[in-house]
Amino acid sequence: MKTRYSFGGDEHVYVEVDDEMSLDAFFISLSLSKLVREAEIPGVREICPANASFEVRFDPDVISPDAMMERIKGLEAEAQAAEKRLDTRIIEIPVYYEDPWTHETLMRFRERHQDPSGSDLDYAARINGYDSVADFIEAHHSQPWFVSMVGFVSGLPFLYQLVDRDKQLEVPKYLRPRTDTPKLTVGYGGCFSCIYSVRGAGGYQMFGITPMPIFDPEQKITYLRDFMVFFKPGDIVKWKPIDRAEYDRITKTVEDGTYTPKIAEVAFDLDAFNADMSGFNAKLMEALDDA
């Protein structure tokens, strides 16, 4: 794993720990960006984290680009040696798979899809070797997911499945992006799942929809009054399949201000996870059951 440093004009340094997502790369990137923040380097204006990388925006009138890059490079050894452990939370996210709204949308855009003859879930199940859509949905929700970054669209989480790499689900994005995606669609592209925080264009495969808002710029939703964005990097998600009746019930409680997401405080230890993935995941999900 060799970190790559590059300039983005005169005001940005881009730091890429690896060219593909892995939990090792995520933790090194997280540690290094934290060290840059704690170093209080004169001229730093903003630090923007991503899946296995981050970008530093700075004032070139205060510090030169070369000097900024050298300051960041000087912190890398400490980041590489940092403990790969994170105090975080696991969150249950209800999902109405095969809902009517994403289905109507995906059928409107079949000409942009790899397989116009079926649905996104039909295609995802087939190319991942599952006998049925139900089996694929089971694989999608049976193990937890790690939020590796939040952004691209305000509040949108990118989620990385906590399983062996050879067991990860993989589904390509649409051949051409859609001009419409329902708000709170649970999507999939490459090895990442996501939740579309707002309605808009998109290219990820659509599997279902959640009734739980994750972004509220007006901060009227009870659990988003302190901060308009629900997710943060390091959060862990457990999808919970629900039916239409449960979707409608949760939607009503969100509207009347009585809905509270199910959350448990947990510690994620990368070494312990790598030593026993299924056992570690089971303990994570037990914590949620006890919440």
Side-chain angles (χ1 to χ4, degrees), residues 60-204:
D61 291 330
V62 176
I63 183 170
S64 72
D66 288 334
M68 175 58 70
M69 184 176 285
E70 288 307 309
R71 288 293 302 272
I72 299 172
K73 285 182 176 180
L75 299 168
E76 184 179 346
E78 186 178 349
Q80 294 275 359
E83 183 182 30
K84 295 180 176 64
R85 186 182 183 281
L86 184 68
D87 290 324
T88 184
R89 57 185 183 165
I90 183 168
I91 307 147
E92 183 177 88
I93 304 295
V95 183
Y96 180 16
Y97 290 97
E98 298 185 282
D99 68 281
W101 307 286
T102 60
H103 183 77
E104 184 277 332
T105 303
L106 66 87
M107 295 308 293
R108 278 194 283 127
F109 292 95
R110 289 329 282 168
E111 79 283 356
R112 305 186 183 208
H113 196 273
Q114 292 87 345
D115 183 6
S117 65
S119 69
D120 291 6
L121 275 166
D122 292 333
Y123 174 69
R126 177 170 56 81
I127 67 170
N128 280 277
Y130 288 93
D131 293 333
S132 68
V133 165
D135 289 340
F136 180 84
I137 291 173
E138 172 71 21
H140 186 262
H141 73 72
S142 62
Q143 297 298 322
W145 295 71
F146 193 91
V147 177
S148 56
M149 69 169 281
V150 180
F152 182 70
V153 174
S154 296
L156 183 150
F158 286 79
L159 301 113
Y160 181 81
Q161 195 175 29
L162 292 174
V163 295
D164 279 316
R165 185 173 289 269
D166 62 357
K167 294 180 180 178
Q168 285 182 345
L169 305 173
E170 292 189 30
V171 189
K173 294 186 287 186
Y174 276 43
L175 297 174
R176 290 187 294 127
R178 301 176 302 275
T179 56
D180 189 24
T181 307
K183 179 181 177 181
L184 298 177
T185 290
V186 174
Y188 211 105
C191 68
F192 289 102
S193 199
C194 79
I195 303 172
Y196 283 77
S197 53
V198 297
R199 182 179 181 179
Y204 277 27

Side-chain angles (χ1 to χ4, degrees), residues 235-246:
D235 280 342
I236 298 170
V237 164
K238 174 65 175 71
W239 307 114
K240 180 188 177 182
I242 59 173
D243 58 16
R244 176 62 186 269
E246 181 67 0

Side-chain angles (χ1 to χ4, degrees), residues 264-279:
E265 301 298 320
V266 294
F268 186 86
D269 185 306
L270 184 58
D271 291 336
F273 170 74
N274 286 331
D276 180 11
M277 292 185 185
S278 59

